[in-house]
Amino acid sequence: WDTPALTIDLDRLQSNIERVQTYLDQHQIHNRPHIKTHKIPEIAHMQLRAGAAGITCQKLGEVEIMAQAGIRDIFLPYNIMGQPKLERLRQLAKRVDLSLTADSLYTALGYSRIAMEAGVVLNILVEFDTGKGPCGVQTPEQAAELAQAIDSLDGLRFAGLMTYPCNEMTDDFVEQTKSLLAQQGLAIERISAGGTPQLWQAHEHQTVTEYRAGTYVYGDRRSVQVGMMTYEQCALHIQTTVVS
């Protein structure tokens, strides 16, 4: 073949999928792989056949493609705003079992409106920040307040908490939020965490019930550097030609 060329070792790919699934199964943590690394429906189906509870997508276009491929249990952990995106979300909500993330009442109100229009109930997880600062409420008090607001909105159901990355702050944040919500009679049934570099430490977090990782299917130099995998386990390579 001509170069540069991207190649995937299918045997290594399958082995990576099975290895992670076995680990999470052993620790009774649901696997919800993030497909933003590969974006390929057949690989997502490989992950589901291995035992994944569902998949994670990062944007609406990925959800639409995976839905077309017959995948029904999809988590979209990103605040969706604006009428064009909410309209696409409304159409998807009628086709798949969709769970979403919000870190503000503004986002939740948009979800409530399209859920009512679609005649569905959407499961909403509150995103909390563990120090990296991408999105997420900043305190357990804010998380509890937003969870109660979500549960009171038409068409929505508070389904749990979500964060990235999973680190030493995760369990304490969850426990504090649980305590606050217990006073209001509201339970947290799902704690979703993620990150390939921290994957083998998932079992050390007693509150985590599901894990989202994406890079593990292929592997990369970062995954090798942190000891998540070896170069021999990396499934994706770029073949090049030295010309001089």
Side-chain angles (χ1 to χ4, degrees):
W1 57 69
D2 195 11
T3 60
L6 183 148
T7 62
I8 298 171
D9 186 313
L10 294 179
D11 291 334
R12 291 184 182 185
L13 176 72
Q14 184 65 46
S15 179
N16 291 339
I17 290 171
E18 292 175 355
R19 183 168 59 255
V20 168
Q21 187 65 51
T22 297
Y23 162 74
L24 293 173
D25 285 346
Q26 287 174 342
H27 295 286
Q28 298 180 313
I29 300 172
H30 294 300
N31 184 21
R32 188 175 288 276
H34 212 312
I35 61 86
K36 68 179 180 180
T37 297
H38 59 73
K39 302 179 187 285
I40 298 173
E42 180 51 37
I43 295 179
H45 279 294
M46 290 170 67
Q47 292 169 311
L48 290 167
R49 288 194 295 269
I55 64 168
T56 304
C57 296
Q58 192 63 19
K59 58 184 183 178
L60 286 167
E62 293 172 357
V63 179
E64 288 163 343
I65 293 299
M66 295 297 155
Q68 283 181 349
I71 296 174
R72 292 293 172 261
D73 192 336
I74 303 176
F75 181 32
L76 179 57
Y78 193 74
N79 290 278
I80 302 299
M81 299 179 184
Q83 186 54 39
K85 288 185 174 63
L86 286 171
E87 174 57 27
R88 291 165 66 189
L89 189 64
R90 185 178 71 85
Q91 296 298 327
L92 285 164
K94 296 186 290 186
R95 299 169 54 198
V96 299
D97 181 9
L98 197 60
S99 52
L100 303 164
T101 287
D103 70 358
S104 71
L105 181 59
Y106 180 88
T107 301
L109 287 170
Y111 293 162
S112 176
R113 177 166 54 81
I114 62 109
M116 294 296 291
E117 292 172 356
V120 300
V121 175
L122 292 171
N123 291 313
I124 311 297
L125 283 74
V126 171
E127 179 172 5
F128 66 95
D129 178 30
T130 53
K132 202 166 186 178
C135 297
V137 297
Q138 299 297 301
T139 67
E141 289 76 16
Q142 291 174 349
E145 181 180 357
L146 183 55
Q148 293 174 72
I150 288 169
D151 212 53
S152 69
L153 289 172
D154 292 334
L156 303 187
R157 175 177 173 273
F158 170 63
L161 300 175
M162 168 261 169
T163 194
Y164 172 84
C166 191
N167 60 23
E168 67 280 357
M169 298 173 60
T170 301
D171 289 329
D172 185 56
F173 195 108
V174 171
E175 292 294 356
Q176 289 188 51
T177 307
K178 274 186 177 181
S179 178
L180 291 168
L181 288 176
Q183 299 171 24
Q184 307 300 321
L186 201 57
I188 302 176
E189 65 181 42
R190 179 173 161 194
I191 310 296
S192 182
T196 291
Q198 305 85 18
L199 196 155
W200 299 135
Q201 287 76 50
H203 67 283
E204 298 175 4
H205 299 279
Q206 299 302 310
T207 61
V208 171
T209 65
E210 80 170 23
Y211 205 87
R212 313 177 317 277
T215 308
Y216 77 92
V217 291
Y218 292 152
D220 60 8
R221 287 185 295 176
R222 168 67 173 159
S223 301
V224 174
Q225 288 168 354
V226 301
M228 193 273 162
M229 64 198 315
T230 67
Y231 279 119
E232 291 71 28
Q233 292 170 324
C234 289
L236 183 146
H237 297 84
I238 303 295
Q239 309 296 327
T240 63
T241 299
V242 177
V243 300
S244 180

